[in-house]
Amino acid sequence: MQNVKTGFSSIVKYLSTKKETGRRSIGLLVDGPNVLRKEFNVNLEEIRDVLKEYGNVKIGRVFLNQYASDKLVEAIENNGFEPIICSSDVDVRLAVEGMELVYNPTIDTIALVTRDADFKPLLNKANEHGKETILFGVEPGFSTALRNSADYVIILENNQMNYNEEEVAEKKRIQKASSNVHK
């Protein structure tokens, strides 16, 4: 049987060995009324698991309208997300919270789950301020304009996640060319 270490300094030392370096700090925002519908069958747990492979989800908020069922709110909480119930327009509240993430120095990646082109300015502002953007879009009805504004796009369709490898390579090529021009 191993000796159990006690004391504040032992715990600090133990936790410092568990800290991972080079991982992204992610803020995740979910447009509930737009994507959490029976016909889309979006699985928040899978989205969180995909993001965990990339970085640490520091903020995970799911925006809902006042008609959200208690079971939905409970399921969101059980998945480790913070439900935000909006009495007015969900899009406005999500955009305001998104702008807070843009100016949050501890968050370097903003992930959105939506289909709505209304969030294109948010993605543009995040990119302008050096934040990486990941977009989980749902088909059918996924905005092309929104899709073209994110660094990485993952499409949720027919209970599967897909991404276009050529699209990712092209965006990286454009970013590299753009950074070379500014040097």
Side-chain angles (χ1 to χ4, degrees), residues 147-165:
R147 180 184 312 205
N148 291 330
S149 298
D151 292 319
Y152 303 102
V153 178
I154 299 166
I155 301 167
L156 308 169
E157 187 176 25
N158 300 324
N159 297 328
Q160 286 189 316
M161 288 189 194
N162 303 304
Y163 70 98
N164 185 335
E165 207 166 323

Side-chain angles (χ1 to χ4, degrees), residues 6 10 15 19 33 48 61 69 71 73 78 83 86 137 163 168:
T6 59
S10 292
L15 289 178
K19 186 175 182 179
R48 185 191 62 232
R61 296 187 178 131
S69 71
K71 284 185 176 187
V73 172
N78 288 340
C86 305
Y163 70 98
V168 171

Side-chain angles (χ1 to χ4, degrees), residues 24-183:
R24 309 295 290 173
S25 293
I26 302 169
L28 170 64
L29 305 177
V30 180
D31 182 3
N34 204 334
V35 297
L36 297 180
R37 300 179 183 180
K38 287 180 184 176
E39 65 261 28
F40 297 140
N41 200 23
V42 170
N43 186 332
L44 292 177
E45 186 176 0
E46 286 179 357
I47 291 171
R48 185 191 62 232
D49 290 346
V50 165
L51 290 174
K52 276 184 176 179
E53 291 296 317
Y54 184 66
N56 299 316
V57 179
K58 299 295 186 183
I59 296 171
R61 296 187 178 131
V62 179
F63 296 83
L64 303 167
N65 60 28
Q66 69 269 28
Y67 305 111
S69 71
D70 291 340
K71 284 185 176 187
L72 177 59
V73 172
E74 183 180 351
I76 288 167
E77 287 178 334
N78 288 340
N79 276 292
F81 295 105
E82 177 185 0
I84 307 289
I85 310 297
C86 305
S87 58
S88 60
D89 190 10
V90 170
D91 289 2
V92 172
R93 178 73 185 272
L94 193 151
V96 168
E97 297 273 342
M99 285 305 297
E100 287 182 3
L101 293 180
V102 167
Y103 291 102
N104 183 334
T106 63
I107 299 296
D108 45 36
T109 302
I110 297 174
L112 288 180
V113 183
T114 188
R115 304 177 309 146
D116 198 339
D118 291 345
F119 299 112
K120 183 180 178 291
L122 172 61
L123 289 174
N124 290 341
K125 191 58 75 173
N127 287 327
E128 181 181 313
H129 285 272
K131 304 290 181 175
E132 202 164 43
T133 53
I134 301 172
L135 179 62
F136 290 85
V138 182
E139 289 288 6
F142 183 27
S143 165
T144 302
L146 187 67
R147 180 184 312 205
N148 291 330
S149 298
D151 292 319
Y152 303 102
V153 178
I154 299 166
I155 301 167
L156 308 169
E157 187 176 25
N158 300 324
N159 297 328
Q160 286 189 316
M161 288 189 194
N162 303 304
Y163 70 98
N164 185 335
E165 207 166 323
E166 291 93 28
E167 186 176 311
V168 171
E170 177 66 12
K171 284 185 180 182
K172 284 183 179 180
R173 186 190 64 71
I174 291 169
Q175 286 174 341
K176 186 176 180 181
S178 175
S179 67
N180 289 338
V181 168
H182 295 295
K183 288 183 179 180

